[in-house]
């Protein structure tokens, strides 16, 4: 029987679970609770304005209001999605939400569950890869997230990196050169790198898989939801359309999926890998003959509230092509293209590669990478004072063509290529599109201030 929509959700929950109390109604400590909450709010005010479109720096966006409310509602129960004893309803909601994610990639049969984030999800995927290909090497691009090398060390798996092309993507030619030496068990492809949002050429990697017989793991923690977008360029779309063929993948609902932090997801195309998780517990799994999520997870206790928030968000905004959720992703990409167009047209800047998703990188035009790096840091600081929050990244100079001369900003270590400190903007909120004029105006003012600084310092020295 459905709940009465006119009744408060918490009242509905309390009616079904007698004895459930609402912390806000516990009058015995109301004054103390209010005092501590006000103190907490004061402490939380010491933050960047992540919710604002003028925050265009790191991969941060506020969760959807429904996700916050559903998460909070579930926290009145505080379910644990390990065994069904601890989270019966939320476990089923997790299975349904994970099935929604698998369906995005065309997987009707799959094995998967939510995790605390992309790092843990990648760890599980590489753990499975190591179990299936013991002793064999994992290879990833130099622009893959740094945690894959850390995870490989934790799992005691051999790991190597492969160079990128000038657009920050895994170089298939260099990959094949390594594959010819043998011993590669898993190729780690990135669908939306953290630094530039670049998408590795998955079709070419799949062609190599047919010849060299390795597993493919796709880290789509950042870019995975763009599977349902309609604005991708043809080359990027080809890679997304091939995701159905990878062996495992990771996606983070707490990025583009509008969820609070603590919500990643790992998916396996072959459900048979569940046998690798088999373990005995003398007390955990006796409440039901159904699958307990703890039986297919390396993590034990996991927040069932995260599953509830995701499930509710999917009910309101299904992650399907042509829907409102997909439209918002396209708006983010259009915002990135609009900013990239302005940067490209301005002679003061040298743009990085055209954005494949919603991340834009650029450097100030300067006489050397060292000078460009210094100006990037000055613009970054000046923009922040004016209310525009960007990010800085250290990237290979070749990602920006050949705009500078002279020594690199940082002396490269042996075997490492020259780098430059660039400005980076992540436009992952739909509101960024309407804010582009304001973002550009503030960036222009910050750049003029930064360009004036060397002259001011020079005059001071002369005095």
């Amino acid at each position: 029987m459905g709940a009465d929509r006119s009744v408060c959700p918490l009242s509905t929950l309390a009616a079904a679970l007698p004895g459930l109390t609402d912390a806000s109604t516990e009058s015995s400590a109301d004054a103390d609770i209010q005092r501590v909450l006000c103190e907490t709010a004061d402490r939380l005010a010491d933050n960047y304005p992540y919710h604002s479109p003028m925050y265009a720096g790191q991969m941060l966006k506020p969760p959807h209001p429904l996700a916050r409310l559903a998460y909070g509602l579930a926290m009145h129960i505080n379910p644990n999605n390990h065994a069904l004893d601890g989270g019966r309803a939320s476990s089923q909601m997790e299975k349904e939400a994970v099935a929604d994610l698998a369906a995005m990639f065309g997987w009707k049969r799959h094995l998967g569950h939510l995790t605390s984030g992309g790092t843990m999800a990648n760890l599980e995927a590489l753990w499975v890869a190591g179990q299936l290909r013991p002793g064999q090497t994992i290879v990833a691009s130099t622009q893959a997230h740094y945690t894959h090398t850390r995870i490989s060390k934790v799992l005691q798996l051999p790991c190597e990196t492969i160079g990128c092309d000038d657009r920050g993507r895994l170089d298939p030619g260099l990959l094949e050169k390594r594959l010819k030496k043998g011993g590669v068990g898993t190729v780690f492809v990135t669908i939306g790198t953290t630094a530039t949002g670049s998408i590795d050429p998955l079709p070419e990697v799949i062609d190599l898989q047919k010849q060299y017989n390795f597993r493919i793991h796709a880290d789509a923690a950042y870019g995975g939801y763009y599977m349902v977008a309609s604005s991708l360029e043809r080359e990027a779309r080809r890679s997304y359309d091939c995701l159905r063929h990878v062996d495992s993948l990771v996606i983070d609902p707490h990025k583009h999926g509008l969820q609070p932090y603590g919500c990643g997801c790992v998916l396996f195309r072959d459900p048979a890998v569940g046998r690798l998780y088999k373990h005995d517990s003398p007390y955990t799994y006796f409440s039901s003959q159904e699958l307990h999520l703890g039986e297919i997870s390396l993590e034990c206790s996991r927040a069932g509230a995260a599953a509830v928030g995701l499930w509710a968000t999917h009910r309101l905004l299904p992650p399907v092509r042509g829907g409102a959720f997909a439209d918002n992703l396209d708006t983010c990409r259009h915002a990135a293209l609009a900013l990239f167009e302005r940067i490209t047209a301005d002679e003061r800047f040298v743009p990085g590669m055209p954005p494949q998703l919603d991340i834009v990188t650029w450097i100030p035009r300067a006489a050397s990478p060292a000078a460009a790096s210094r100006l990037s840091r000055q613009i970054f600081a000046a923009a922040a004072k004016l209310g525009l929050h960007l990010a800085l990244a250290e990237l290979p100079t070749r990602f920006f063509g050949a705009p500078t001369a002279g020594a690199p900003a940082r002396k490269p270590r042996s075997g490492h290529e020259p780098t430059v400190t660039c400005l980076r903007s992540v436009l992952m909120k739909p509101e960024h599109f309407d804010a582009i004029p304001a973002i550009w105006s503030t960036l222009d003012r910050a750049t003029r201030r930064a360009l004036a600084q060397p002259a001011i310092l020079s005059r001071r020295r002369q005095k």
Side-chain angles (χ1 to χ4, degrees), residues 37-51 389:
L37 282 176
C38 288
E39 183 180 348
T40 303
D42 286 339
R43 295 296 298 269
L44 288 174
D46 182 22
N47 263 310
Y48 293 108
Y50 304 124
H51 60 284
H389 302 278

Side-chain angles (χ1 to χ4, degrees), residues 61-68 101 104 220-226 251-261 263 306 309-314 317-319 325 329 428:
K61 66 189 296 183
H64 192 278
L66 176 60
R68 293 198 300 263
L101 297 176
M104 282 201 311
Y222 186 71
Y225 276 101
Y226 268 94
I251 184 171
D252 268 3
H254 66 210
K255 291 190 173 73
H256 280 111
L258 305 172
Q259 299 308 297
Y261 272 107
C263 191
L310 181 60
W311 181 89
T313 306
H314 283 185
L317 297 169
F325 178 83
L329 290 175
M428 65 186 301

Side-chain angles (χ1 to χ4, degrees), residues 13 55 89 148 155 162 190 208 316 325 327 345 399 411 421:
L13 189 61
Y55 183 88
H148 80 278
L155 297 172
I162 302 295
T190 307
L208 291 171
L316 181 69
F325 178 83
D327 288 345
F399 283 11
K411 185 178 180 180
T421 304

Side-chain angles (χ1 to χ4, degrees), residues 125-454:
L126 295 186
W127 175 76
V128 167
Q131 296 290 303
L132 295 175
R133 301 293 180 93
Q136 293 188 304
T137 299
I138 294 168
V139 298
S141 84
T142 52
Q143 287 296 306
H145 198 277
Y146 69 89
T147 54
H148 80 278
T149 54
R150 179 187 294 175
I151 289 167
S152 298
K153 290 178 181 178
V154 169
L155 297 172
Q156 298 185 332
L157 297 172
C159 179
E160 298 176 19
T161 54
I162 302 295
C164 289
D165 63 16
D166 290 344
R167 294 183 66 187
R169 305 169 302 182
L170 176 69
D171 188 317
L174 294 177
L175 174 60
E176 183 169 20
K177 184 177 179 180
R178 173 60 187 87
L179 291 170
K180 287 179 178 179
K181 297 178 182 179
V184 173
T186 302
V187 173
F188 184 112
V189 299
T190 307
I191 307 299
T193 60
T194 302
T196 63
S198 298
I199 298 164
D200 284 344
L202 186 53
E204 287 84 346
V205 176
I206 289 174
D207 287 342
L208 291 171
Q209 183 189 42
K210 296 172 185 176
Q211 183 176 354
Y212 294 98
N213 186 30
F214 52 82
R215 288 177 62 82
I216 300 176
H217 170 63
D219 179 1
Y222 186 71
Y225 276 101
Y226 268 94
M227 184 72 191
V228 300
S230 62
S231 60
L232 297 177
E233 60 180 6
R234 181 180 301 178
E235 192 172 38
R237 175 48 64 190
R238 287 181 62 236
S239 286
Y240 274 90
D241 289 344
C242 286
L243 280 171
R244 65 176 58 240
H245 302 300
V246 304
D247 296 288
S248 58
L249 65 84
V250 160
I251 184 171
D252 268 3
H254 66 210
K255 291 190 173 73
H256 280 111
L258 305 172
Q259 299 308 297
Y261 272 107
C263 191
C265 181
V266 61
L267 292 165
F268 298 95
R269 181 161 55 92
D270 181 6
V273 301
R275 72 185 187 278
L276 301 173
Y277 289 91
K278 184 176 176 58
H279 63 280
D280 296 320
S281 170
Y283 48 79
T284 306
Y285 305 127
F286 296 103
S287 66
S288 171
Q289 295 299 313
E290 296 180 51
L291 176 69
H292 299 256
L293 290 169
E295 296 178 273
I296 56 164
S297 169
L298 292 182
E299 291 181 276
C300 291
S301 297
R302 293 182 302 111
V308 175
L310 181 60
W311 181 89
T313 306
H314 283 185
R315 298 281 285 183
L316 181 69
L317 297 169
V320 296
R321 294 191 187 186
F325 178 83
D327 288 345
N328 284 339
L329 290 175
D330 286 323
T331 302
C332 295
R333 174 158 160 72
H334 293 321
L337 292 173
L339 180 60
F340 179 78
E341 182 179 353
R342 292 188 184 229
I343 289 169
T344 302
D346 194 309
E347 293 184 353
R348 297 172 297 178
F349 302 127
V350 177
M353 67 281 293
Q356 290 194 289
L357 297 179
D358 51 26
I359 299 175
V360 184
T361 59
W362 71 99
I363 59 175
R365 192 176 297 278
S368 69
S373 296
R374 183 174 62 252
L375 275 173
S376 288
R377 291 188 287 270
Q378 290 172 348
I379 293 171
F380 170 82
K385 290 180 179 179
L386 294 170
L388 172 63
H389 302 278
L390 304 171
L392 295 171
E394 196 75 16
L395 294 175
T397 55
R398 62 186 174 90
F399 283 11
F400 302 90
T404 59
R410 295 185 180 179
K411 185 178 180 180
R413 293 173 290 170
S414 177
H416 290 71
E417 60 183 322
T419 62
V420 62
T421 304
C422 72
L423 292 156
R424 170 174 164 272
S425 188
V426 179
L427 301 168
M428 65 186 301
K429 297 188 280 284
E431 295 83 3
H432 277 134
F433 182 76
D434 289 334
I436 289 299
I439 290 173
W440 180 254
S441 175
T442 308
L443 175 60
D444 172 61
R445 291 168 59 200
T447 302
R448 284 189 276 114
R449 288 189 182 185
L451 291 174
Q453 285 184 34

Side-chain angles (χ1 to χ4, degrees), residues 3-78:
D4 183 351
R5 270 39 176 191
S6 65
V7 177
C8 169
L10 182 57
S11 299
T12 300
L13 189 61
L17 299 172
L20 186 69
T21 60
D22 177 4
S24 66
T25 66
E26 295 176 354
S27 58
S28 62
D30 267 356
D32 288 339
I33 288 175
Q34 285 297 110
R35 173 180 56 79
V36 175
L37 282 176
C38 288
E39 183 180 348
T40 303
D42 286 339
R43 295 296 298 269
L44 288 174
D46 182 22
N47 263 310
Y48 293 108
Y50 304 124
H51 60 284
S52 168
M54 295 305 285
Y55 183 88
Q58 304 293 350
M59 295 172 171
L60 294 162
K61 66 189 296 183
H64 192 278
L66 176 60
R68 293 198 300 263
L69 291 169
Y71 191 107
L73 184 63
M75 285 306 298
H76 285 84
I77 304 171
N78 194 27

